[in-house]
């Protein structure tokens, strides 16, 4: 399939389905076969919405597999690694023998960096190797959508406890000072790795890791990926966390990188409210109350720090300074259920006609920001999941016309730019990984009128 997906809706649907099938690993979906060969957290929630259009059983399975990788403390990891290949199976053993440990990079070289050893060979409930950080908790909202469409009580019930434990972790260990929002301890947790908001907090991290494996650049142009300087700091944070044994509460209270991300918080506020609804539909009153309380707590924290322009911004907790950047995080804040009309109207303007608007969807960074790089990852391009979440948020708040406009732009974007990872805002050219699962899944869902 060429990068240009298809000219008709039917053709586009078929192309998207083709991508989902190529990313399917039976019980979970990889974000992209070449660039991201494992299971990622929010990617799977979006993939589930794509599967819902063609195979609802497979959609539920996606979320169940995701929560299977949960850690004992409730964290659902940002990556659950695919079963190691035969040679890779030796890696945890070799790691213990110093003279052999140097052969490790050669064994795990070909797939993705960081490999599981960087995190200290951690395992989830289901035995899979996993990372030690999390990602935006979209899964409960996806579960609610699956339930509304399929009514499958058995499948929904299996997710209630793990999702609730994850939310409890985010507002427990990850909120040691009672701010009402989870503290993110690595830029990867935001899902917007090299966003400009993280430049200042990352600048304080002295890069202790000098040589970083970059298999990501085998398939994607270096100009479209985070820089080496970013990667040295990302990996330094990982190495340091592993050296300390990942004390989640301590890292959130006094670690070297600590931020509040309005996008992550808003997604959690919505997820908790959706899980409360699901629990109450299934008669789980105690869980429903706990989740409703969590959702309200995050919502109140967000409302309390709305800016004078009606928008929310990221906070660097080490300096207690708010970022000066206007990024898609401010737009994604509208995903929170209880925001004032004024706040939602500010977002609606911003994404349809303001600094984040483009003909192909919502920009990751304001058009006139001097740091804007239209080709570089989260520093300018349009991402389909962001446009989709903004459309969803606006429609939930009753801004139907604006939501519809974003949906039209999303479909045009994928039809013309291909099933790629992200897109140049002005031209719509598709960039980054090919055969990108959430682009396919969310285009399918939008075409289905969901
Ligand atoms: C690090 C898988 C993930 C997405 C993130 C996106 C990118 C990883 C990377 O890919 O991050 O987690 O290697 O760049 O930023 O949002 O979940 O698609």
């Amino acid at each position: 399939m060429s990068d240009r997906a298809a000219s008709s809706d039917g053709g586009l649907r078929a192309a998207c389905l083709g991508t989902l099938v190529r990313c399917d690993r039976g019980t979970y979906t990889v974000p992209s076969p070449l660039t991201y060969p494992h299971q990622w957290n929010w990617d799977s929630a979006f993939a589930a919405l794509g599967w819902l259009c063609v195979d609802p059983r497979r959609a539920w399975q996606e979320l169940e597999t995701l929560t299977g990788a949960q850690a004992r403390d409730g964290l659902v990891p940002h990556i659950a690694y695919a079963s190691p290949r035969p040679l890779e199976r030796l890696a945890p053993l070799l790691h213990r023998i110093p003279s052999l440990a140097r052969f490790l990079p050669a064994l795990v070289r070909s797939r993705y960096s960081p490999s599981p050893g960087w995190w200290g060979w951690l395992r989830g409930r289901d035995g899979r190797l996993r990372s030690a950080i999390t990602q935006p908790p979209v899964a409960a909202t996806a579960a609610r959508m699956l339930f509304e469409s399929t009514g499958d009580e058995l499948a929904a019930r299996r997710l209630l406890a793990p999702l609730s434990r994850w939310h409890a972790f985010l507002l427990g260990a990850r909120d040691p000072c009672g701010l009402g929002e989870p503290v993110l301890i690595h830029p990867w947790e935001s899902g917007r790795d090299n966003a400009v908001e993280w430049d200042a907090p990352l600048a304080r991290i002295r890069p202790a890791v000098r040589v970083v494996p970059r298999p990501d650049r085998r398939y994607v142009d270096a100009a479209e990926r985070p820089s080496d300087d970013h990667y040295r700091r990302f990996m330094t944070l990982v190495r340091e966390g592993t050296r300390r044994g990942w004390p989640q509460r301590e890292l959130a209270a006094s670690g070297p990188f600590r931020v509040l991300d309005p996008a992550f918080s808003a997604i959690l506020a919505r997820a908790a409210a959706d899980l409360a609804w699901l629990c109450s539909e299934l008669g789980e009153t105690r869980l429903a109350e706990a989740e409703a309380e969590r959702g309200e707590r995050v919502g109140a924290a967000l409302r309390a720090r709305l800016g004078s322009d009606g928008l929310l911004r990221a906070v660097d907790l080490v300096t207690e300074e708010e970022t000066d950047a206007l990024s898609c995080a401010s737009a994604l804040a509208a995903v929170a259920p209880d925001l004032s009309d004024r706040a939602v109207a500010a977002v609606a303007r911003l994404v349809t006609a303001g600094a984040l608007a483009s003909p192909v969807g919502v920009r990751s960074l304001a058009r006139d920001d001097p740091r804007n790089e239209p080709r570089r990852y989260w520093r300018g391009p349009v991402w389909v999941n962001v446009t989709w979440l903004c459309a969803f948020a606006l429609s939930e708040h009753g801004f139907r016309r604006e939501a519809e406009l974003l949906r039209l732009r999303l479909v045009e974007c994928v039809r013309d730019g291909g099933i790629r990872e992200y897109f140049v805002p002005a031209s719509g050219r598709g960039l980054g990984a090919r055969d990108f699962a959430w682009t396919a899944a969310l285009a399918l869902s939008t075409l289905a009128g969901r």
Side-chain angles (χ1 to χ4, degrees):
M1 166 64 56
S2 76
D3 283 347
R4 197 183 143 82
S7 50
S8 67
D9 279 3
L12 181 55
R13 232 178 249 117
C16 290
L17 186 55
T19 289
L20 266 193
V21 167
R22 281 187 291 281
C23 293
D24 186 13
R25 295 296 171 271
T27 55
Y28 67 91
T29 310
V30 296
S32 162
L34 291 177
T35 314
Y36 305 112
H38 307 289
Q39 181 174 25
W40 260 261
N41 191 321
W42 69 337
D43 299 65
S44 269
F46 296 127
L49 300 178
W51 287 119
L52 179 60
C53 304
V54 288
D55 183 354
R57 205 189 46 82
R58 180 66 186 76
W60 283 111
Q61 189 175 37
E62 185 79 28
L63 298 182
E64 217 179 316
T65 309
L66 172 65
T67 54
Q70 187 162 45
R72 256 196 228 113
D73 60 9
L75 171 144
V76 177
H78 95 300
I79 303 175
Y81 288 89
S83 312
R85 293 174 300 182
L87 268 181
E88 285 173 345
R89 279 185 226 283
L90 294 174
L93 286 176
L94 290 183
H95 171 73
R96 295 202 192 128
I97 310 167
S99 55
L100 297 180
R102 66 195 165 94
F103 295 111
L104 269 178
L107 284 180
V108 288
R109 195 188 74 90
S110 56
R111 294 191 130 194
Y112 177 80
S113 178
S115 52
W118 279 87
W119 307 100
W121 308 108
L122 301 174
R123 288 187 189 274
R125 203 155 40 84
D126 58 10
R128 275 185 299 166
L129 289 161
R130 62 165 178 89
S131 70
I133 57 171
T134 190
Q135 253 192 343
V138 181
T141 296
R144 175 180 180 155
M145 290 176 168
L146 264 52
F147 183 73
E148 282 175 329
S149 157
T150 67
D152 187 337
E153 292 197 10
L154 226 61
R157 203 174 282 284
R158 284 196 286 267
L159 294 172
L160 301 185
L163 289 177
S164 184
R165 289 187 56 231
W166 182 20
H167 296 173
F169 163 84
L170 292 172
L171 290 172
R174 285 305 189 82
D175 184 17
C177 303
L179 300 172
E181 292 179 67
V183 176
L184 308 194
I185 60 167
H186 194 292
W188 284 334
E189 293 202 303
S190 69
R192 299 177 297 108
D193 316 354
N194 65 341
V196 299
E197 297 99 295
W198 317 140
D199 285 358
L202 274 180
R204 277 193 306 271
I205 310 301
R206 207 156 51 85
V209 176
R210 304 229 160 262
V211 185
V212 180
R214 297 294 305 266
D216 56 321
R217 296 202 296 224
R218 259 180 240 156
Y219 309 108
V220 177
D221 192 313
E224 297 166 23
R225 291 286 305 171
S227 65
D228 274 341
D229 184 58
H230 268 108
Y231 256 85
R232 282 188 206 104
R233 291 164 208 269
F234 293 161
M235 300 302 250
T236 299
L237 284 171
V238 173
R239 182 187 277 178
E240 181 57 13
T242 300
R243 192 186 63 74
R244 293 171 63 174
W246 292 104
Q248 297 284 344
R249 182 175 289 274
E250 249 177 81
L251 289 168
S254 57
F257 181 95
R258 280 174 288 131
V259 299
L260 296 182
D261 174 16
F264 192 113
S265 298
I267 287 169
L268 175 58
R270 169 74 59 180
D274 286 342
L275 190 55
W277 177 87
L278 200 49
C279 290
S280 111
E281 286 291 296
L282 298 176
E284 297 287 344
T285 327
R286 203 183 45 79
L287 276 186
E289 280 165 10
E291 285 302 317
E293 195 273 324
R294 283 182 191 124
E296 280 154 23
R297 185 154 24 125
V298 184
L302 286 173
R303 284 194 300 278
R305 65 180 192 84
L306 266 179
S308 53
D309 56 359
L311 297 173
L312 279 146
R313 288 179 173 74
V315 177
D316 180 349
L317 288 172
V318 176
T319 58
E320 297 190 355
E321 273 168 29
E322 201 172 72
T323 178
D324 62 340
L326 182 54
S327 81
C328 62
S330 296
L332 292 173
V335 172
D338 298 317
L339 282 188
S340 64
D341 274 358
R342 178 176 154 267
V344 183
V347 169
R349 266 194 310 279
L350 187 66
V351 297
T352 55
L356 293 181
S358 91
V360 291
V362 180
R363 295 166 185 265
S364 47
L365 181 61
R367 143 186 341 108
D368 54 358
D369 189 305
R371 296 159 292 191
N372 191 303
E373 295 179 72
R375 286 181 63 197
R376 197 181 291 278
Y377 220 48
W378 290 97
R379 299 174 79 86
V382 162
W383 290 69
V384 161
N385 66 332
V386 169
T387 306
W388 185 88
L389 280 167
C390 288
F392 165 70
L394 291 177
S395 140
E396 292 286 302
H397 286 292
F399 287 65
R400 303 240 151 65
R401 203 173 41 83
E402 289 84 350
E404 200 40 44
L405 179 63
L406 291 186
R407 291 194 181 111
L408 287 173
R409 288 179 181 171
L410 186 158
V411 170
E412 284 303 310
C413 172
V414 183
R415 178 174 291 139
D416 294 344
I419 307 175
R420 300 293 296 265
E421 191 178 10
Y422 39 92
F423 303 83
V424 178
S427 65
R429 190 178 147 213
L431 300 174
R434 290 161 198 277
D435 252 346
F436 197 65
W438 83 39
T439 299
L442 297 174
L444 269 179
S445 179
T446 305
L447 285 169
R450 290 208 162 89

